[in-house]
Amino acid sequence: GVRDVLFLYEENRCSMTYMYEYPEYLKIKLPKKTARRYPAYELYLYGEGNYAEENKNLLLTGIPVLFLPGNAGSYKQVRSLGSIALRKAEDVDFKYHFNFFSVNFNEELVALYGGSLQRQTKFVHECIKVILKLYRDEEFAPTSVAIVGHSMGGLVARALLTLKNFKPDLINLLITQATPHVAPVMPLDRYLTDFYTAVNSHWILKAQDLRNLTTLSVAGGFRDYQVRSGLAFLPRLSQHDSALSVVSSAVPRAWASTDHLSIVWCKELILATIRAFFDLIDENTRQITEDPKKRMSVLNHHFVRHPAKIFEENPEVLTELTGIFMWITVKASKWTYSVYNDSDGKYFTFPLASHRKSYSHVYCENSMLDTNSWIYGCMNSNLSVCLEATDLSWRAELLPTTKVVMLKLEDYPSLSHIVIQVPPAVGNKYTLGCEFFKEDSRTVQLPVTHLFSFGLSSSKILLNSTGLLYNVQLQHFSQIYQAFKIYIESHCQSLKERKPNVYRLHIPWSHEDSIIVAKVPSLTEISAKLHIAQPPNDSRVPELNIYSSSDCQYDVKIKSYILVFQIIRFHAGAFPVYIVSNILLTYGGQLNALRSTGQCSDFSLELVRTAKPYKVEPLISIVVFLQGFNWFREMWESLSLPEVDAAVLSRQDAWFPLVSLILFLFGTGITYWSGVFFSASLRFFSSLWLTLIRPTVLQKDRLITPRGLCGVLALALVSWTTCGAFAVFLIYLQYLFKPVRVFVTSALYFQDSDHSKETSQNSSIHTIKPQSSMDSVPEAIQPLSKSTTIAEAVNSLKMHVTILNLFTWIVLLNLPSFIYWLKNLRYNVRLDPDPCRFTAVIIICILEILMNSSTSEVKSSKLLKIAAKVPLPLSVAVLAFGRLHLYRVPHFVTFSLLLHVLCCVV
């Protein structure tokens, strides 16, 4: 599954963007108050060569565009947009041009730590005001700024509208690249989840106020394993019609999936973006148009359906067919024509009256990929020459090797003829084709294989192509957990040269099509997976469109993927939750064994015995089911309990059958092998320590010592004045030595015990011991103290290993804020806000006591019975409330360890 997500995707079909001149980033001076409040952030203007020199005095006359980098992103990522926009401006002699600004967020890790997102949002607001002031003396001064946001930068742009003093008119266009709009990829702190909640709630509640803002979200497709495309689709509940979400594989003239970084430099995608920017310019204001409808028309033209024509806001409905061309009438239902060095232009007319009764559709294709009109509809019923016609080229759609038009005849009752224009083609070679057909004859239904066929069975269909287009409907393909491989093998009767075939997987409810160009004959493999599940009220079916050759056979076969692949893709981020749940069940089993037998069981054996999914899964499923009833939901809310994460995932269409069970089993396996690795590491470091230091006494430590108390106070001070995660990491390093020390001393005592036993046996042969008071003590009782000490040490060692396993995940889940603090240490010693400042103090106190504890105190505790039962409900709570809120997991673990501390004291 991991291999499928990380490596088994299409090859990188993006071209790199290059500059013709050296890039320069001019730092914009900010107001002193802003610079003092945000010392780590900066604003830059991009430029190259003479353009950069001209702009050094900041007398700007262009259209402002602000680029916002994402997680660990650089302000220099604006280079591709700025460079191509500059080349495009040169093509139009700088009649219009764009000024690209970029914000330096100091490459902050905002996907891991959400505490700085609000600060970034406020800084961007200040930057917009500074940018607009640069144009205030210009004739065509802008009143708004267009924003391009990569990754989390797109979310920061959307968050601008949540600021109290922000005027929505300051932004008219927002383009986001691989931005996770729906939810964070890894919800590692509450600041991150609260930020998402505030932004998405505002956009849903204030949807009517956002009509003047046009938003485009571009997702990277399956190459982007960091942000899956389903998260990049704008919230479905947006009530305004000025938002558009597309996957880069479906963008015309790009047709390529991009990874998380290449989406900012993919030449094909950047070209589409810059072309859209120039088409958005209003000639009167020389700024981006204020008309939301035009903005959406331009974005649809460049990012959804491109008719292979230059964008026109109001194209002429009627066109005069001029030129001294030959008129040829075609009465056949199927027609192809090859053009090569043809010096005479022609008009081919297809009378519709004779075809309306027999056929329902007409399909035409043209391999000449220019932007001229080529297909028309004529309304003259009797004339053989059509002087005025409707331009049907706007109904065309551009594909990688051809442009195609499909018309439903009953939608055009007034048309008498279809006219195909073939202009003179000196030095050009291309082909055209048209055919009339019934929709039923070109539509084939292919049921997909069952989810649990595991690729062993397949569905097949054989197409004996007599036409230019076939639609294969993939029945019952509607959920994101479904994944298939489609194999298309083409065979042709003759070996003549043919144009390549185009295969398109079309998903009707979202813009996530994928297109593949294949030679003929060939065997082509297509990966069929969904980013967005089928909406409840949508009955449309995904289709495989085969733009075929008329004398070829197509063998189409579909096989299912293993479910594991999609689970890894959609839920790999939940693995820590399931691992901690397994460790908690094991921990509870060890406490139960200690209470009933007085012995602590081994971690791996106890994991196999107690970590059972039926202990946790049914209860969560019951709660999710009951939350569908109003009375239960009201009672749940009255207890101030958060919503179960599985219910939220179900609403996002990201939850599917058996996923939690399989994730739990994955968690069990990972926990088992990590336990084996941990034990092996413990033995290795213990043997290494044993060669360097040889401790001789296994003494019982006091729970609280003056030295330990000073350590707690010092670490609490570190937590409060610097970073809580840093203090937790320090106490973790200190605690790591505890199992090593216990293991080493236990091993030494075993060796000493064996050595003394051997010595006593040898001496009894040669000597007679004098009578003493010890002789009256039975032999079995004399070594009891030492063997008991060793047994207690072994029990304590096993318990410390489990606690260390739990504590390791506390450290790992708090590590991102520590890394963020470390990276920004030169600007601020204290992390503010700190997601784990208060919990760090509690954890430090708990571990300082547990470090000196043993199982002897726990066995005699009155609270052991309670402490042994609590891990089970905690493991259920971790799965119920931690999947979408990873920061809650350490709280549950801390509570279980707090009970352990109480057992040592009470």
Side-chain angles (χ1 to χ4, degrees):
V2 172
R3 177 172 167 266
D4 174 72
V5 172
L6 298 183
F7 304 109
L8 296 184
Y9 43 68
E10 67 179 72
E11 63 183 32
N12 188 1
R13 299 206 291 257
C14 284
S15 306
M16 175 59 77
T17 50
Y18 293 99
M19 299 161 296
Y20 294 95
E21 298 172 280
Y22 193 78
E24 293 186 34
Y25 302 89
L26 179 64
K27 187 176 179 180
I28 306 297
K29 188 177 180 180
L30 299 172
K32 291 182 179 179
K33 185 178 178 182
T34 303
R36 191 166 54 249
R37 187 181 298 174
Y38 309 101
Y41 301 158
E42 296 167 325
L43 177 64
Y44 288 88
L45 171 66
Y46 178 82
E48 294 177 16
N50 294 332
Y51 170 77
E53 288 294 325
E54 292 169 2
N55 287 333
K56 282 189 175 178
N57 56 7
L58 294 179
L59 297 176
L60 306 178
T61 58
I63 303 167
V65 179
L66 179 60
F67 176 78
L68 304 180
N71 177 57
S74 168
Y75 66 94
K76 294 182 179 181
Q77 289 174 312
V78 73
R79 177 190 64 80
S80 297
L81 284 165
S83 183
I84 289 183
L86 185 58
R87 301 283 85 77
K88 179 77 171 174
E90 289 175 351
D91 290 343
V92 296
D93 296 324
F94 281 92
K95 180 182 179 182
Y96 311 113
H97 71 278
F98 289 85
N99 302 127
F100 275 86
F101 298 85
S102 184
V103 173
N104 178 16
F105 284 135
N106 192 33
E107 300 184 10
E108 290 182 335
L109 302 170
V110 286
L112 304 179
Y113 168 74
S116 62
L117 285 169
Q118 194 68 23
R119 186 162 57 246
Q120 287 190 0
T121 306
K122 292 178 179 178
F123 178 72
V124 171
H125 184 199
E126 297 299 324
C127 288
I128 291 173
K129 290 189 283 188
V130 169
I131 290 169
L132 292 177
K133 281 182 181 178
L134 296 174
Y135 296 86
R136 60 187 170 188
D137 297 328
E138 297 301 319
E139 181 183 357
F140 298 100
T143 57
S144 60
V145 174
I147 294 182
V148 178
H150 172 241
S151 188
M152 295 298 287
L155 189 72
V156 169
R158 288 180 62 213
L160 284 168
L161 297 157
T162 65
L163 298 177
K164 291 181 180 179
N165 56 346
F166 183 80
K167 298 177 181 177
D169 295 339
L170 292 179
I171 310 175
N172 56 10
L173 177 66
L174 170 59
I175 298 177
T176 66
Q177 302 170 326
T179 297
H181 292 293
V182 177
V185 178
M186 294 290 285
L188 292 165
D189 63 59
R190 63 182 177 87
Y191 305 116
L192 195 57
T193 55
D194 289 351
F195 190 81
Y196 264 91
T197 302
V199 172
N200 286 331
S201 298
H202 182 87
W203 276 61
I204 291 169
L205 295 174
K206 304 288 184 179
Q208 299 297 328
D209 301 335
L210 301 176
R211 287 183 176 274
N212 291 326
L213 172 62
T214 303
T215 310
L216 169 68
S217 175
V218 183
F222 290 113
R223 279 188 64 85
D224 189 352
Y225 58 83
Q226 295 183 46
V227 176
R228 62 178 178 85
S229 296
L231 293 178
F233 278 66
L234 290 161
R236 193 180 294 167
L237 293 177
S238 297
Q239 298 301 317
H240 54 93
D241 54 359
S242 57
L244 179 64
S245 300
V246 299
V247 180
S248 61
S249 60
V251 174
R253 305 171 81 172
W255 298 300
S257 177
T258 62
D259 60 54
H260 197 61
L261 289 178
S262 69
I263 198 169
V264 301
W265 56 254
C266 178
K267 184 178 179 181
E268 290 76 8
L269 204 56
I270 298 299
L271 282 170
T273 305
I274 297 303
R275 289 182 188 123
F277 270 129
F278 276 86
D279 283 342
L280 285 165
I281 297 173
D282 186 330
E283 291 186 1
N284 297 321
T285 63
R286 296 199 175 185
Q287 297 293 325
I288 289 178
T289 179
E290 296 296 325
D291 183 3
K293 290 184 178 179
K294 180 182 177 181
R295 291 199 296 258
M296 282 304 294
S297 297
V298 170
L299 294 180
N300 275 292
H301 179 91
H302 288 283
F303 288 91
V304 178
R305 185 185 177 97
H306 198 296
K309 287 181 66 66
I310 296 172
F311 176 80
E312 294 179 27
E313 185 177 0
N314 297 305
E316 293 184 9
V317 178
L318 296 177
T319 305
E320 290 185 5
L321 300 182
T322 58
I324 307 174
F325 286 5
M326 184 185 300
W327 287 81
I328 302 172
T329 302
V330 180
K331 296 183 178 181
S333 61
K334 187 185 300 181
W335 168 83
T336 58
Y337 185 74
S338 296
V339 182
Y340 182 62
N341 277 339
D342 198 343
S343 58
D344 298 324
K346 298 180 178 66
Y347 284 121
F348 290 91
T349 63
F350 299 81
L352 299 181
S354 59
H355 295 302
R356 288 187 182 277
K357 293 181 180 179
S358 304
Y359 306 107
S360 63
H361 289 72
V362 59
Y363 167 84
C364 295
E365 61 183 21
N366 184 353
S367 64
M368 171 61 82
L369 301 182
D370 59 6
T371 57
N372 298 321
S373 295
W374 60 283
I375 182 169
Y376 304 90
C378 188
M379 289 175 279
N380 297 332
S381 57
N382 298 320
L383 298 177
S384 58
V385 176
C386 183
L387 299 179
E388 194 173 59
T390 303
D391 190 352
L392 297 177
S393 304
W394 292 103
R395 304 286 182 185
E397 183 175 12
L398 181 64
L399 295 174
T401 61
T402 186
K403 47 189 179 184
V404 301
V405 175
M406 187 166 69
L407 305 174
K408 193 174 183 180
L409 295 178
E410 66 178 28
D411 293 341
Y412 300 89
S414 61
L415 295 185
S416 62
H417 294 74
I418 295 290
V419 180
I420 301 292
Q421 180 182 3
V422 181
V426 179
N428 290 330
K429 183 179 181 180
Y430 61 98
T431 59
L432 300 99
C434 283
E435 64 173 341
F436 293 85
F437 61 88
K438 279 189 175 180
E439 186 177 17
D440 295 343
S441 66
R442 299 299 172 85
T443 303
V444 182
Q445 294 183 347
L446 180 65
V448 298
T449 51
H450 194 268
L451 176 66
F452 297 108
S453 64
F454 302 112
L456 299 177
S457 62
S458 62
S459 294
K460 298 180 182 180
I461 197 165
L462 183 64
L463 301 175
N464 289 310
S465 176
T466 57
L468 302 175
L469 173 68
Y470 277 90
N471 296 321
V472 180
Q473 293 185 343
L474 304 178
Q475 299 290 323
H476 317 301
F477 182 29
S478 60
Q479 300 298 325
I480 60 170
Y481 57 80
Q482 295 174 294
F484 305 97
K485 285 285 188 185
I486 301 175
Y487 300 93
I488 305 175
E489 188 172 5
S490 57
H491 307 278
C492 299
Q493 294 176 0
S494 60
L495 297 177
K496 66 178 182 179
E497 184 182 351
R498 289 179 175 80
K499 64 179 179 65
N501 286 164
V502 176
Y503 306 133
R504 175 168 68 176
L505 181 64
H506 174 59
I507 310 301
W509 55 80
S510 65
H511 304 298
E512 55 176 282
D513 293 7
S514 55
I515 293 179
I516 291 179
V517 179
K519 294 181 180 179
V520 182
S522 65
L523 175 62
T524 306
E525 180 183 294
I526 301 174
S527 180
K529 292 173 282 193
L530 296 176
H531 297 294
I532 297 290
Q534 186 180 33
N537 299 324
D538 198 321
S539 59
R540 292 173 292 177
V541 180
E543 288 184 342
L544 175 65
N545 304 136
I546 300 177
Y547 298 91
S548 58
S549 299
S550 58
D551 61 341
C552 294
Q553 245 185 16
Y554 295 88
D555 188 3
V556 182
K557 180 170 67 174
I558 186 167
K559 296 176 70 174
S560 65
Y561 260 39
I562 301 175
L563 181 63
V564 169
F565 297 166
Q566 292 298 82
I567 290 177
I568 297 293
R569 185 179 305 280
F570 284 88
H571 298 287
F575 276 165
V577 177
Y578 286 89
I579 294 169
V580 170
S581 179
N582 274 277
I583 299 174
L584 281 172
L585 288 174
T586 306
Y587 173 60
Q590 286 180 315
L591 290 178
N592 270 318
L594 193 64
R595 175 171 159 264
S596 58
T597 65
Q599 302 294 321
C600 184
S601 53
D602 183 72
F603 178 82
S604 298
L605 295 176
E606 193 62 40
L607 174 71
V608 173
R609 192 178 69 83
T610 58
K612 306 296 183 186
Y614 59 77
K615 293 182 178 180
V616 293
E617 292 298 335
L619 185 59
I620 297 174
S621 300
I622 291 170
V623 171
V624 172
F625 173 74
L626 291 175
Q627 280 189 333
F629 298 97
N630 289 330
W631 63 269
F632 185 83
R633 193 162 54 247
E634 290 171 1
M635 183 185 71
W636 189 268
E637 291 173 356
S638 67
L639 296 173
S640 299
L641 291 172
E643 190 175 10
V644 177
D645 288 347
V648 179
L649 288 167
S650 296
R651 284 203 304 273
Q652 295 175 359
D653 298 320
W655 203 242
F656 37 89
L658 301 180
V659 62
S660 191
L661 173 63
I662 295 172
L663 284 171
F664 189 92
L665 297 178
F666 281 171
T668 306
I670 295 170
T671 306
Y672 180 86
W673 288 109
S674 62
V676 171
F677 173 76
F678 192 84
S679 299
S681 302
L682 179 63
R683 291 177 182 274
F684 172 75
F685 287 113
S686 300
S687 60
L688 188 64
W689 194 14
L690 196 59
T691 59
L692 301 174
I693 304 169
R694 187 177 176 85
T696 55
V697 180
L698 182 63
Q699 59 183 7
K700 180 174 169 53
D701 297 324
R702 293 172 59 189
L703 288 177
I704 303 174
T705 61
R707 182 180 175 183
L709 194 59
C710 291
V712 168
L713 293 174
L715 287 174
L717 186 64
V718 168
S719 171
W720 199 258
T721 57
T722 59
C723 172
F726 178 47
V728 170
F729 184 67
L730 290 177
I731 193 76
Y732 175 73
L733 293 179
Q734 185 181 351
Y735 194 92
L736 268 175
F737 288 102
K738 178 66 179 180
V740 174
R741 189 160 60 89
V742 174
F743 188 91
V744 168
T745 48
S746 301
L748 281 172
Y749 262 74
F750 275 119
Q751 292 174 10
D752 293 342
S753 178
D754 293 341
H755 178 70
S756 60
K757 186 176 180 180
E758 182 182 346
T759 305
S760 63
Q761 287 176 349
N762 292 336
S763 61
S764 64
I765 298 172
H766 302 288
T767 60
I768 299 173
K769 291 170 62 179
Q771 188 74 18
S772 68
S773 59
M774 282 296 292
D775 292 338
S776 61
V777 181
E779 280 186 86
I781 298 177
Q782 287 187 29
L784 184 63
S785 176
K786 183 176 287 188
S787 62
T788 304
T789 304
I790 292 172
E792 285 299 329
V794 172
N795 285 333
S796 298
L797 175 65
K798 292 175 180 178
M799 188 57 70
H800 282 303
V801 166
T802 304
I803 292 172
L804 199 55
N805 266 301
L806 282 171
F807 190 40
T808 298
W809 283 101
I810 292 181
V811 172
L812 289 175
L813 291 173
N814 286 318
L815 202 58
S817 62
F818 171 55
I819 296 171
Y820 177 91
W821 169 78
L822 207 60
K823 195 172 182 296
N824 292 272
L825 194 57
R826 58 178 172 158
Y827 298 105
N828 206 334
V829 176
R830 191 172 193 257
L831 181 64
D832 188 35
D834 190 342
C836 60
R837 179 170 291 137
F838 296 101
T839 53
V841 175
I842 299 171
I843 289 170
I844 289 165
C845 297
I846 288 173
L847 288 181
E848 184 60 40
I849 295 173
L850 290 181
M851 209 178 300
N852 302 319
S853 68
S854 66
T855 52
S856 57
E857 296 106 342
V858 179
K859 281 193 291 188
S860 58
S861 174
K862 298 176 182 177
L863 296 176
L864 180 58
K865 185 177 181 181
I866 298 173
K869 291 182 177 180
V870 164
L872 176 58
L874 284 179
S875 67
V876 176
V878 163
L879 294 187
F881 306 115
R883 276 181 277 224
L884 295 179
H885 305 83
L886 290 175
Y887 61 88
R888 291 174 179 168
V889 174
H891 302 325
F892 295 119
V893 176
T894 302
F895 183 73
S896 65
L897 295 180
L898 181 61
L899 286 177
H900 194 124
V901 168
L902 293 176
C903 287
C904 296
V905 178
V906 181

